[in-house]
Amino acid sequence: DAGVIQSPRHEVTEMGQEVTLRCKPISGHDYLFWYRQTMMRGLELLIYFNNNVPIDDSGMPEDRFSAKMPNASFSTLKIQPSEPRDSAVYFCASSWATGYQPQHFGDGTRLSIL
Amino acid sequence: DAKTTQPPSMDCAEGRAANLPCNHSTISGNEYVYWYRQIHSQGPQYIIHGLKNNETNEMASLIITEDRKSSTLILPHATLRDTAVYYCIVSSAGGKLIFGQGTELSVKP
């Protein structure tokens, strides 16, 4: 079975540019999560969706960040405008809705803002 | 803030059992204990979870104390590929995981 698929794997762009990260969850999973990992702050939850609806976006750092889930098989995390401090590894994860189910993570997008 | 406390690092000899402790003294009755690990530059990988009974799967065993205030993850025969950061997480319904700093396990030949 295909796992969580993220693209691109690496992104290098200049400050001020718009960045779009993409995620395809595991088919049938009802929850989708976006995380950010840095050396200073570790692994942080940014936002999560249930059945394509955002449930908790309290981890989104500021208005420059936005996330959408237009359908059950696709989600995007957008940063506009990007800043050097946004450099991090961004992970997407998905899980089943029912019960206490584990999350399955993608391989991440390594983002560098110059 | 994470609700768990783990040692920052541990060493283990290859082929021996690795026992990773976790303290979660403020755990609530409806909260599970989850263990994930992260091998360098990869996404976190689910290992095991439990509520109050001990659990075992093909990867590891989870021992939870009777008062549920602490647990131990056991890798019965550690290999070099088990070198990773291991996260102990307490979570209730809704699937929101809060990762702490974890334990960096180094398996040495």
Side-chain angles (χ1 to χ4, degrees), chain A residues 9 31 33 35 37 41-43 45 48 56 58 91 100-103 105-107 110, chain B residues 30 32 34 36 38 41-44 46 49 87 91-97 99 101:
Chain A
R9 290 297 311 277
Y31 281 86
F33 307 82
Y35 292 85
Q37 186 170 35
R41 300 177 64 88
L43 197 59
L45 176 65
Y48 74 95
D56 185 344
S58 59
F91 290 102
Y100 298 83
Q101 300 297 326
Q103 295 180 20
F105 285 74
D107 289 332
R110 185 172 296 275
Chain B
N30 65 342
Y32 278 66
Y34 282 86
Y36 284 76
Q38 188 173 24
S41 76
Q42 296 182 18
Y46 165 79
H49 74 286
Y87 298 99
S91 177
S92 59
K96 189 169 178 176
L97 301 178
F99 287 79
Q101 296 304 308

Side-chain angles (χ1 to χ4, degrees), chain B residues 4-15:
Chain B
T4 62
T5 303
Q6 299 177 252
S9 63
M10 291 182 63
D11 290 340
C12 178
E14 187 179 20

Side-chain angles (χ1 to χ4, degrees), chain A residues 31-83:
Chain A
Y31 281 86
L32 183 137
F33 307 82
W34 282 101
Y35 292 85
R36 177 174 69 175
Q37 186 170 35
T38 61
M39 288 293 292
M40 291 295 294
R41 300 177 64 88
L43 197 59
E44 306 172 278
L45 176 65
L46 300 178
I47 184 171
Y48 74 95
F49 296 82
N50 177 214
N51 291 322
N52 313 335
V53 176
I55 302 301
D56 185 344
D57 65 355
S58 59
M60 295 286 264
E62 49 197 276
D63 292 345
R64 296 184 298 105
F65 285 70
S66 62
K68 294 182 179 180
M69 192 163 185
N71 57 61
S73 58
F74 183 66
S75 176
T76 60
L77 179 67
K78 188 171 294 187
I79 308 172
Q80 167 63 20
S82 58
E83 297 182 4

